[in-house]
Amino acid sequence: MAARDSLVIDHVRKVFPMENGELEVLKDIDLEIKKGEFISIVGTSGCGKSTLLRIIAGLEKPTSGKVLIDGKEVTKPSVKTGMIYQEARLFPWLTVEQNIGFGIHEKLSKEERKKRIAGYIDAVNLTGFEKAIPGQLSGGMQQRVSIARALINNLNVLLLDEPFGALDALTRINMQNEVMDIWEKEKTTMILITHDIDEAIFLSDRILVMGKNPGEVKKELRVDMSRPRGRNTAEFIKIRKNIYTEFFKDSEIELEYYI
Ligand SMILES: Nc1ncnc2c1ncn2[C@@H]1O[C@H](COP(=O)(O)OP(=O)(O)OP(=O)(O)O)[C@@H](O)[C@H]1O
Ligand SMILES: [Mg+2]
């Protein structure tokens, strides 16, 4: 059985009841993720990626199978497991520091609290914006606030569901660099869902390619490149080609035109 220090997805299956029968969304997902590992999941729309993250977060129950974090079965949401969505979901009337402070679940003295918040504001490069409200920030800045708010509880696991999907290309690359910095500092286990193949290669130790109907892991790629990773190195391009090949395998489209 799995090490205590890990995230185990043990034969997870998820079926949703439908009017005309059942929809098998996830079929036998079986994974072991090491503590501090960075995993990305790519796959076509509707293949069950968000459903899988919601099960890991304890927001949804598997039909069968189970998820274990550090040896304990997940049965409900935990403050040690954070979730970041495509949109930042901040309180619009609270300032940056109040939004981040809202995430703290521990009892801390006023001083400790202030110090902790300042540390995370610095980690996500928002020093100087402590008193700003979300409406005064760009989309990327808002997303950094939500990342700080999640991380402030010394998370075991951070789940990211297309966190940079709504950002422009340049902001997106900046955010990827920041997530990498934070991951290297905090050693939080991270699972990222993305439609951006380069993002997955840039960040991950392993990339899982999911297929649809039912959702299952079709392929797993290990990215054995040192960090920081050059996005135009031969190795990077080779991994990119491998992933695209997996996506286009069953289609009529000529892969060569696309990469
Ligand atoms: N609560 C629910 N009840 C019924 N069906 C659901 C429910 N949640 C998700 N589904 C269905 O499960 C399938 C997978 O949905 P999910 O949101 O996990 O996909 P996804 O891979 O995250 O897609 P996308 O890339 O578009 O975000 C879809 O067919 C969806 O309609
Ligand atoms: Mg989704």
Side-chain angles (χ1 to χ4, degrees), residues 123-245:
V124 297
N125 281 323
L126 282 172
T127 307
F129 291 92
E130 293 83 353
K131 305 285 181 224
I133 57 166
Q136 297 169 318
L137 304 176
S138 72
M141 291 162 91
Q142 291 183 28
Q143 200 53 310
R144 282 185 267 156
V145 175
S146 71
I147 292 172
R149 182 178 62 181
L151 286 169
I152 205 153
N153 287 304
N154 301 318
L155 294 180
N156 292 330
V157 179
L158 181 62
L159 306 168
L160 303 122
D161 194 347
E162 296 181 49
F164 315 134
L167 305 176
D168 68 86
L170 198 64
T171 308
R172 205 177 167 115
I173 287 176
N174 279 331
M175 293 294 292
Q176 291 163 6
N177 291 335
E178 270 171 40
V179 165
M180 198 61 327
D181 278 354
I182 293 169
W183 176 75
E184 281 174 339
K185 268 187 232 143
E186 304 261 332
K187 296 287 171 236
T188 311
T189 307
M190 295 199 185
I191 306 180
L192 167 78
I193 294 177
T194 181
H195 288 292
D196 180 336
I197 309 289
D198 281 20
E199 179 168 292
I201 304 169
F202 182 72
L203 293 170
S204 323
D205 295 314
R206 265 192 294 162
I207 302 171
L208 310 176
V209 182
M210 274 181 71
K212 197 177 175 180
N213 292 331
E216 55 191 347
V217 177
K218 290 269 190 208
K219 194 179 174 85
E220 189 184 309
L221 281 133
R222 193 166 280 284
V223 187
D224 278 324
M225 286 174 72
S226 57
R227 294 177 169 101
R229 294 174 176 165
R231 293 164 196 263
N232 282 312
T233 59
E235 223 174 334
F236 201 101
I237 292 165
K238 191 173 147 207
I239 296 170
R240 182 192 291 146
K241 189 165 181 175
N242 266 337
I243 298 178
Y244 274 98
T245 306

Side-chain angles (χ1 to χ4, degrees), residues 58-71:
L59 296 165
E60 189 93 61
K61 287 203 188 331
T63 308
S64 61
K66 56 183 184 294
V67 173
L68 302 163
I69 295 180
D70 294 342

Side-chain angles (χ1 to χ4, degrees), residues 218 245-253:
K218 290 269 190 208
T245 306
E246 194 57 37
F247 274 125
F248 284 89
K249 213 166 58 182
D250 304 319
S251 91
E252 305 278 299
I253 299 166

Side-chain angles (χ1 to χ4, degrees), residues 45-51 86 161-162 193 195:
S45 179
C47 72
K49 303 178 297 295
S50 296
T51 305
Q86 188 163 356
D161 194 347
E162 296 181 49
I193 294 177
H195 288 292

